[in-house]
Amino acid sequence: MALAGRIRSGISFFKNISVSDARSYPRGGSLIPSLRDYATASAQNTVNVKVPIALVGESGNFASWLYIAAVKMNSLEKIETDLSELVEAMKASPIFAQFTKDPSVPRETRLAAIVDVCDKAKFAEPTKNFLSLLAENGKLKNLDVIVKKFMQLTTAHRGDVKVLVTTVMPLPPAEEKELKDTLQEIIGEGKKVTVEQKIDPSIYGGLIVEFQQKVLDMSIRTRAQQMERLLREPVDFTNL
């Protein structure tokens, strides 16, 4: 129960790709709709869609627009799967990962290669269009960040809450369950809590819990820094 008490008290396929194989592909306009039109205008579905959480920055905007389009097209799960596979491919193939980030690759080459990859992987048309848009505008270099933010939206859409727990060593199963149960009680019913553990010896001890844009820092490192600041403050002996 010590762990739960601390938490409560803390709350106020692509392995190779050859650029030389890329074929010429028509540019822009007719192939890819503008990003805002892609997200906000759908002939099949005019329902007003709102993102479940607000994201900031350019990558957050890209992720939000893709989420809106995916919901309107009833393709959220498929697009999520496609992008997950693409990210895994980037991890498995350094050549492919380097290709997506290399600014020297001509736009036409990037676009043709991405279209070829999407076709061979049998990605959904919305996924293909979105990746083509990124390729054409030189934004593939931000793909991993955009996908991460998009996954935050899909997780929130399902009512799931992802919790990142940082410790100096893996939590024993009993403590992990206790932590998860405590967070479930705090967050409330109707939402599924998923705990992801991160190991960071530099915090010295204790733990850091991050979820729903909240950070509960109960690490020994932070306590030591607070103590150091306190000790460095001048003492007013007139009030003693």
Side-chain angles (χ1 to χ4, degrees), residues 173-188:
E175 287 198 14
E176 182 180 359
K177 182 179 183 304
E178 182 184 4
L179 171 62
K180 187 174 180 179
D181 291 344
T182 301
L183 288 168
Q184 186 72 68
E185 179 183 334
I186 293 170
I187 293 169

Side-chain angles (χ1 to χ4, degrees), residues 25-62:
Y25 203 91
R27 286 177 55 185
S30 61
L31 172 65
I32 309 165
S34 70
L35 188 56
R36 280 193 171 85
D37 289 344
Y38 177 60
T40 60
S42 171
Q44 294 78 23
N45 192 339
T46 58
V47 174
N48 185 28
V49 178
K50 294 183 179 180
V51 292
I53 56 176
L55 300 177
V56 298
E58 183 182 63
S59 295
N61 289 337
F62 273 92

Side-chain angles (χ1 to χ4, degrees), residues 56-186:
V56 298
E58 183 182 63
S59 295
N61 289 337
F62 273 92
S64 298
W65 288 327
L66 177 59
Y67 169 83
I68 292 171
V71 172
K72 286 188 173 185
M73 298 175 187
N74 294 318
S75 302
L76 190 63
E77 185 174 345
K78 173 58 177 169
I79 292 175
E80 183 179 12
T81 300
D82 290 347
L83 293 180
S84 295
E85 292 179 1
L86 187 63
V87 169
E88 289 304 312
M90 291 173 64
K91 293 178 181 178
S93 174
I95 296 176
F96 180 50
Q98 182 180 2
F99 164 79
T100 63
K101 298 180 183 297
D102 189 349
S104 67
V105 177
R107 178 165 62 177
E108 291 80 3
T109 302
R110 282 197 307 265
L111 182 57
I114 283 296
V115 169
D116 191 48
V117 164
C118 291
D119 288 342
K120 289 180 178 178
K122 302 187 185 308
F123 283 171
E125 197 67 21
T127 308
K128 175 180 172 180
N129 287 344
F130 185 75
L131 293 174
S132 297
L133 181 63
L134 296 182
E136 189 182 41
N137 290 277
K139 300 300 182 181
L140 281 176
K141 60 185 179 181
N142 301 326
L143 181 60
D144 50 349
V145 179
I146 293 171
V147 171
K148 183 177 180 180
K149 290 181 178 295
F150 178 73
M151 296 304 179
Q152 291 177 6
L153 293 173
T154 59
T155 297
H157 175 86
R158 292 190 297 267
D160 296 348
V161 177
K162 183 178 179 180
V163 180
L164 178 63
V165 180
T166 303
T167 55
V168 295
M169 62 181 64
L171 289 174
E175 287 198 14
E176 182 180 359
K177 182 179 183 304
E178 182 184 4
L179 171 62
K180 187 174 180 179
D181 291 344
T182 301
L183 288 168
Q184 186 72 68
E185 179 183 334
I186 293 170

